[in-house]
Every structure is written in C-alpha cells, then in structure tokens.
Amino acid sequence: MTNAASSLPSSPSPELTALHGHVRAFAEILTVRSGQHLKDWIAATRADDLPGLHTCTTGLEKDWDAVVQGLTTCWNSGPVEGRVNHVKMIKRQMFGRAKLPLLRKRVLLTARLSAQPVAAGGAR
C-alpha cells in the first residue's frame, strides 16, 4: 500500500503558485477595501495563463463602476439584504397557510420587534 502524499510533487506547479498569489492579492483588496488597486491586479492576472481568473476579471470589468465602488466605500446593502432574506423566510414558512394580509401583518410585526433595542437582560 502506497502513501498518497508521497506521490505528490515536492513543490507546487507554477500555475498553482501564481493562482495562489493572485487569490491572496484579491483577498487583500477585498479586506482593505482598496479598489484603486483592482486595475493593477487585473493586469497582473491577465499576464499569467490562468483561464479561470480571466473569466473572473472579465466579469468584474463588465460592471466596473459598481465593483470599484463596492471595493472602496464603506457603504453596503447588507441590512437591506438581511431584511429581504427575513421576509422571504416568513413567506416560505407561511406558504399555503394564509393570504397576503396575514403575511403583511407578520412582516410588519417582526420589523417592529427587531427594531426595538435589546434590554439589559438580553430579552426583548
């Protein structure tokens, strides 16, 4: 019986090393919110022969303004998306049970409950 790890090469391929570097650099751009470096990252990615990343960069360039804004500003739509997700969850729970008036009441009720500040004991 042979060990599977012994059949692996001792050093990763140049493509894998390049991919790792590009992914790390992109993660840094996302983490630090430095969208101004995105054009340089895309140029460096295009210089290497990595078709998967070329597809990714093409997608980023299709909506360039929105991508750069998303990577440079601190504003996001997280709270709105969370609320939409919550409304969809309530809708799924009530599927086939009630009509729109009850759904509306439940959505409004949960919106009021989640907007109230949490008391000192953690109860609402």
Coordinates of all heavy atoms in Angstrom, one line a residue, residues 19 26 41-42 45-64 67:
L19 N -1.7 31.2 -9.1 CA -3.1 31.3 -8.7 C -3.2 31.7 -7.3 O -4.0 32.6 -6.9 CB -3.8 30.0 -9.0 CG -5.3 29.9 -8.6 CD1 -6.1 30.9 -9.4 CD2 -5.8 28.5 -8.8
F26 N -6.1 39.4 -4.3 CA -7.5 39.8 -4.4 C -8.2 39.9 -3.0 O -9.0 40.8 -2.7 CB -8.3 38.9 -5.3 CG -9.7 39.4 -5.6 CD1 -9.9 40.5 -6.4 CD2 -10.8 38.7 -5.2 CE1 -11.2 41.0 -6.7 CE2 -12.1 39.2 -5.4 CZ -12.3 40.3 -6.2
W41 N -4.3 44.6 -10.3 CA -4.5 43.2 -10.1 C -5.0 42.5 -11.3 O -4.5 41.4 -11.7 CB -5.5 43.0 -8.9 CG -5.8 41.5 -8.6 CD1 -5.0 40.7 -7.9 CD2 -6.8 40.7 -9.1 NE1 -5.5 39.4 -7.9 CE2 -6.7 39.4 -8.6 CE3 -7.9 41.0 -9.9 CZ2 -7.6 38.4 -8.9 CZ3 -8.8 40.0 -10.2 CH2 -8.6 38.7 -9.7
I42 N -5.9 43.1 -12.1 CA -6.4 42.5 -13.3 C -5.3 42.4 -14.3 O -5.2 41.4 -15.0 CB -7.6 43.3 -13.8 CG1 -8.8 43.1 -12.9 CG2 -7.9 43.0 -15.3 CD1 -10.0 43.9 -13.3
T45 N -3.1 39.6 -13.4 CA -3.8 38.3 -13.6 C -3.8 37.9 -15.1 O -3.7 36.8 -15.5 CB -5.3 38.4 -13.1 OG1 -5.2 38.7 -11.7 CG2 -6.0 37.1 -13.3
R46 N -4.1 38.9 -15.9 CA -4.1 38.7 -17.4 C -2.7 38.3 -17.9 O -2.6 37.6 -19.0 CB -4.6 39.9 -18.1 CG -6.1 40.2 -17.9 CD -6.9 39.7 -19.0 NE -8.3 39.6 -18.6 CZ -9.2 40.6 -18.8 NH1 -8.8 41.7 -19.4 NH2 -10.4 40.4 -18.5
A47 N -1.6 38.7 -17.3 CA -0.3 38.4 -17.7 C 0.0 36.9 -17.6 O 0.8 36.3 -18.3 CB 0.7 39.2 -16.9
D48 N -0.7 36.2 -16.6 CA -0.5 34.8 -16.4 C -1.5 34.0 -17.2 O -2.6 34.6 -17.5 CB -0.6 34.4 -15.0 CG 0.5 34.9 -14.1 OD1 1.6 35.1 -14.7 OD2 0.3 35.2 -12.9
D49 N -1.2 32.8 -17.6 CA -2.1 32.0 -18.4 C -3.0 31.2 -17.4 O -2.8 30.0 -17.2 CB -1.4 31.1 -19.3 CG -2.3 30.3 -20.3 OD1 -3.3 30.8 -20.6 OD2 -1.9 29.2 -20.7
L50 N -4.0 31.9 -16.9 CA -5.0 31.2 -15.9 C -6.4 31.5 -16.4 O -7.0 32.5 -16.0 CB -4.7 31.8 -14.5 CG -3.3 31.5 -13.9 CD1 -3.1 32.3 -12.7 CD2 -3.1 30.1 -13.7
P51 N -7.0 30.7 -17.2 CA -8.3 30.9 -17.8 C -9.4 31.2 -16.8 O -10.3 32.0 -17.1 CB -8.6 29.7 -18.7 CG -7.3 29.0 -18.8 CD -6.4 29.4 -17.7
G52 N -9.4 30.5 -15.7 CA -10.4 30.7 -14.7 C -10.4 32.1 -14.1 O -11.4 32.8 -13.9
L53 N -9.2 32.7 -13.9 CA -9.1 34.1 -13.4 C -9.4 35.1 -14.6 O -9.9 36.1 -14.3 CB -7.7 34.4 -12.9 CG -7.5 33.8 -11.5 CD1 -6.1 34.2 -11.0 CD2 -8.5 34.3 -10.5
H54 N -9.2 34.7 -15.8 CA -9.5 35.6 -16.9 C -11.0 35.8 -17.0 O -11.5 36.9 -17.2 CB -9.0 35.0 -18.2 CG -7.5 35.0 -18.3 ND1 -6.8 35.2 -19.5 CD2 -6.5 34.9 -17.4 CE1 -5.5 35.2 -19.3 NE2 -5.3 35.0 -18.0
T55 N -11.8 34.7 -16.7 CA -13.2 34.7 -16.7 C -13.7 35.6 -15.6 O -14.6 36.5 -15.7 CB -13.8 33.3 -16.5 OG1 -13.3 32.5 -17.6 CG2 -15.3 33.3 -16.6
C56 N -13.0 35.5 -14.4 CA -13.4 36.3 -13.3 C -13.1 37.8 -13.6 O -14.0 38.7 -13.3 CB -12.6 35.9 -12.1 SG -12.8 36.9 -10.6
T57 N -12.0 38.1 -14.1 CA -11.7 39.5 -14.4 C -12.6 40.1 -15.5 O -13.0 41.3 -15.4 CB -10.2 39.7 -14.9 OG1 -10.0 38.9 -16.0 CG2 -9.3 39.3 -13.8
T58 N -13.0 39.3 -16.4 CA -14.0 39.8 -17.5 C -15.3 40.1 -16.8 O -15.9 41.2 -17.1 CB -14.2 38.7 -18.5 OG1 -12.9 38.4 -19.1 CG2 -15.1 39.2 -19.6
G59 N -15.7 39.3 -15.9 CA -17.0 39.6 -15.1 C -16.9 40.9 -14.3 O -17.8 41.6 -14.2
L60 N -15.7 41.1 -13.7 CA -15.5 42.3 -12.9 C -15.5 43.5 -13.8 O -16.1 44.6 -13.4 CB -14.2 42.3 -12.1 CG -14.1 41.2 -11.0 CD1 -12.6 41.2 -10.5 CD2 -15.0 41.6 -9.9
E61 N -15.0 43.4 -15.0 CA -14.9 44.6 -15.9 C -16.3 44.9 -16.5 O -16.5 46.1 -16.9 CB -13.9 44.3 -17.0 CG -12.5 44.4 -16.5 CD -11.4 44.1 -17.5 OE1 -11.8 43.3 -18.4 OE2 -10.3 44.6 -17.4
K62 N -17.2 44.0 -16.5 CA -18.5 44.2 -17.1 C -19.3 45.3 -16.3 O -20.0 46.0 -16.9 CB -19.3 42.9 -17.2 CG -18.9 42.1 -18.3 CD -19.8 40.9 -18.4 CE -19.3 40.0 -19.6 NZ -20.1 38.8 -19.7
D63 N -19.1 45.3 -15.0 CA -19.7 46.3 -14.2 C -18.7 47.0 -13.3 O -18.7 47.1 -12.1 CB -20.8 45.6 -13.3 CG -21.8 46.6 -12.8 OD1 -21.8 47.7 -13.2 OD2 -22.6 46.2 -11.9
W64 N -17.7 47.6 -14.0 CA -16.6 48.2 -13.4 C -16.9 49.2 -12.3 O -16.3 49.2 -11.2 CB -15.7 48.8 -14.5 CG -14.4 49.4 -13.9 CD1 -14.1 50.7 -13.7 CD2 -13.3 48.6 -13.4 NE1 -12.9 50.8 -13.2 CE2 -12.3 49.5 -12.9 CE3 -13.0 47.3 -13.3 CZ2 -11.1 49.2 -12.4 CZ3 -11.8 46.9 -12.7 CH2 -10.9 47.8 -12.3
V67 N -18.3 47.7 -9.1 CA -17.2 46.9 -8.4 C -16.3 47.8 -7.7 O -16.0 47.5 -6.5 CB -16.5 46.0 -9.4 CG1 -15.3 45.3 -8.8 CG2 -17.4 44.9 -10.0

